[in-house]
Amino acid sequence: MSREDLPYRPCAGFMLVNAAGHVFVGQRIDPTAHGYWQMPQGGIDPGEDLRAAALRELHEEIGVGPDKVELIAGPSRPLRYDLPDELVGKVWKGKYRGQEQYWFLGRFLGENADIDLEAHDPPEFNAWRWVEPALLPELIIPFKRATYEEVLQEFRDFI
């Protein structure tokens, strides 16, 4: 099956910002993305509401429940990226060519102690930090940079 025959994996992402306007990023444990940082994101279950999926991923990956988040904005459109050739057929059991992502923005209402990287088994991240939004494209794995630039553009006025 060629790349063009493969669908995009539906995905929900969450840009979590703190009171200072910094964005949460976690350092990936996944060996294909080791050393890179990203915002919480993950697959959307069949029939799952986009907002519910984004909040579920936030809770699963970093232990932050909806009671610790003020939702600010949702997606105006899906954003897509393609996997590089060397990963097509290897990640997500070879079923997808990339992801179609729906991003949400929310303000973190909790304390740093509320963030729990062990909430997901196995954990997705081995470290986390708050960063200036402008640094996001530099931290993400290169094939996702354009998507992160679009997310920043989409939410710039709300951060």
Side-chain angles (χ1 to χ4, degrees):
M1 183 178 285
S2 73
R3 169 194 294 277
E4 290 72 29
D5 295 329
L6 293 172
Y8 287 93
R9 177 180 184 244
C11 174
F14 208 97
M15 177 185 269
L16 186 67
V17 296
N18 65 13
H22 294 138
V23 179
F24 174 93
V25 291
Q27 187 176 44
R28 298 279 307 172
I29 292 174
D30 177 357
T32 63
H34 184 70
Y36 291 104
W37 299 74
Q38 73 175 42
M39 296 181 284
Q41 65 176 59
I44 299 169
D45 295 332
E48 188 175 24
D49 174 76
L50 298 176
R51 180 179 176 271
L55 289 169
R56 175 183 51 75
E57 285 295 330
L58 189 66
H59 187 257
E60 285 178 4
E61 293 188 2
I62 67 170
V64 173
D67 60 321
K68 303 283 185 196
V69 176
E70 174 191 1
L71 194 61
I72 299 170
S76 64
R77 62 190 170 87
L79 302 175
R80 286 182 173 176
Y81 73 82
D82 287 308
L83 290 169
D85 290 340
E86 65 270 14
L87 294 179
V88 174
K90 294 183 180 147
V91 298
W92 306 310
K93 300 177 184 170
K95 297 193 308 193
Y96 303 102
R97 67 188 287 181
Q99 290 197 100
E100 181 172 83
Q101 298 183 320
Y102 297 86
W103 284 93
F104 290 81
L105 171 67
R107 179 95 42 216
F108 183 51
L109 304 176
E111 303 292 326
N112 285 348
D114 294 321
I115 295 172
D116 178 13
L117 299 185
E118 301 291 324
H120 189 269
D121 186 22
E124 301 269 338
F125 305 120
N126 61 13
W128 69 273
R129 60 184 171 152
W130 297 105
V131 300
E132 291 284 341
L135 294 177
L136 286 172
E138 297 172 28
L139 299 173
I140 191 67
I141 197 162
F143 63 86
K144 293 183 184 180
R145 282 193 183 135
T147 302
Y148 268 47
E149 288 167 354
E150 290 185 67
V151 172
L152 278 171
Q153 187 64 31
E154 177 92 9
F155 294 146
R156 179 161 282 139
D157 293 340
F158 300 105
I159 299 173

